[in-house]
Amino acid sequence: GWNIPGKQFNYQSNYGVFDGQGYLFADELLDGDTVTYEYYNFNNLLVTMTYMVISRDTEITTPAGHFTGCMKVRIRESLSEADAADPVNRESVENLCEFECVYCPGVGLISNTCSYMNSPELNAEYGGSSVLTFYSIPVPSSHMIPMEEGNLFEYIHYDAVGKPLADKMAYRDIYRVDTVTSDGMICLSNY
């Protein structure tokens, strides 16, 4: 990661279904609340991520169950107007994403949709959605994203047109919280 103090949140190696979600949402966020964070991308350009709470009362059903009282959040990446207008930054502009995520208190991420706003080609190849198929939280939690040791989450992924990626390759996408250090660092395994 780009470890520039005070300039971005740090979600090093937090990819897969959790990509784009470096901020763990506070339980007190209300409908319409907006929070902005920054990070430096692969071209060392400052990217702003704007998190907007769409609803605190979303209802959703996935293979893992039926969830109510969920928080729906839209996360939109952007560059400064000057950076976005500069032709040399075309690749960075094409890589900007918009995420729509649904979280259930005590369970965590229920669904995540990612779209590449400025590149139909990238969106067709990498855009899509993920939904929770299974979870195990041995010790009940009230956190929006419960990241205690031993918690397990499994997701199924769909491409940009809604076809399961499992149709193209055989895999299961499972995340396990291995360690939470005394200073709050969370170590996830993905397999």
Side-chain angles (χ1 to χ4, degrees):
W2 295 267
N3 198 9
I4 303 169
K7 291 295 184 182
Q8 87 285 329
F9 54 85
N10 195 344
Y11 65 105
Q12 297 168 339
S13 301
N14 198 1
Y15 301 111
V17 74
F18 294 103
D19 189 24
Q21 299 167 59
Y23 176 60
L24 300 183
F25 298 98
D27 294 339
E28 65 270 10
L29 289 178
L30 303 173
D31 288 1
D33 280 358
T34 301
V35 179
T36 302
Y37 283 83
E38 299 173 332
Y39 73 95
Y40 285 88
N41 73 1
F42 50 87
N43 288 324
N44 206 30
L45 293 175
L46 185 64
V47 177
T48 300
M49 295 183 81
T50 303
Y51 296 75
M52 182 178 187
V53 178
I54 304 302
S55 170
R56 291 280 312 193
D57 195 26
T58 297
E59 192 169 325
I60 187 171
T61 300
T62 76
H66 183 77
F67 304 94
T68 59
C70 299
M71 181 170 66
K72 186 176 196 176
V73 178
R74 183 170 296 126
I75 307 166
R76 188 177 181 95
E77 296 180 325
S78 62
L79 297 172
S80 71
E81 286 186 34
D83 285 343
D86 189 338
V88 77
N89 297 329
R90 186 175 140 235
E91 182 183 15
S92 290
V93 171
E94 289 179 348
N95 275 283
L96 294 174
C97 291
E98 181 175 85
F99 301 90
E100 197 162 279
C101 307
V102 176
Y103 300 88
C104 182
V107 178
L109 180 66
I110 305 298
S111 73
N112 175 19
T113 301
C114 173
S115 60
Y116 288 78
M117 303 173 290
N118 303 315
S119 174
E121 296 82 16
L122 285 175
N123 196 55
E125 188 169 351
Y126 301 111
S129 60
S130 306
V131 296
L132 186 67
T133 59
F134 173 81
Y135 66 98
S136 172
I137 300 175
V139 178
S141 172
S142 62
H143 294 293
M144 187 60 69
I145 304 176
M147 288 289 175
E148 284 83 20
E149 288 183 26
N151 290 358
L152 188 75
F153 310 90
E154 182 173 352
Y155 296 87
I156 186 170
H157 302 282
Y158 299 92
D159 66 16
V161 295
K163 289 188 173 183
L165 294 185
D167 290 353
K168 300 175 186 175
M169 64 181 86
Y171 77 97
R172 295 172 65 194
D173 194 20
I174 300 170
Y175 298 81
R176 184 185 66 225
V177 181
D178 285 329
T179 305
V180 179
T181 66
S182 60
D183 61 353
M185 184 175 74
I186 299 163
C187 300
L188 284 175
S189 289
N190 173 231
Y191 55 95

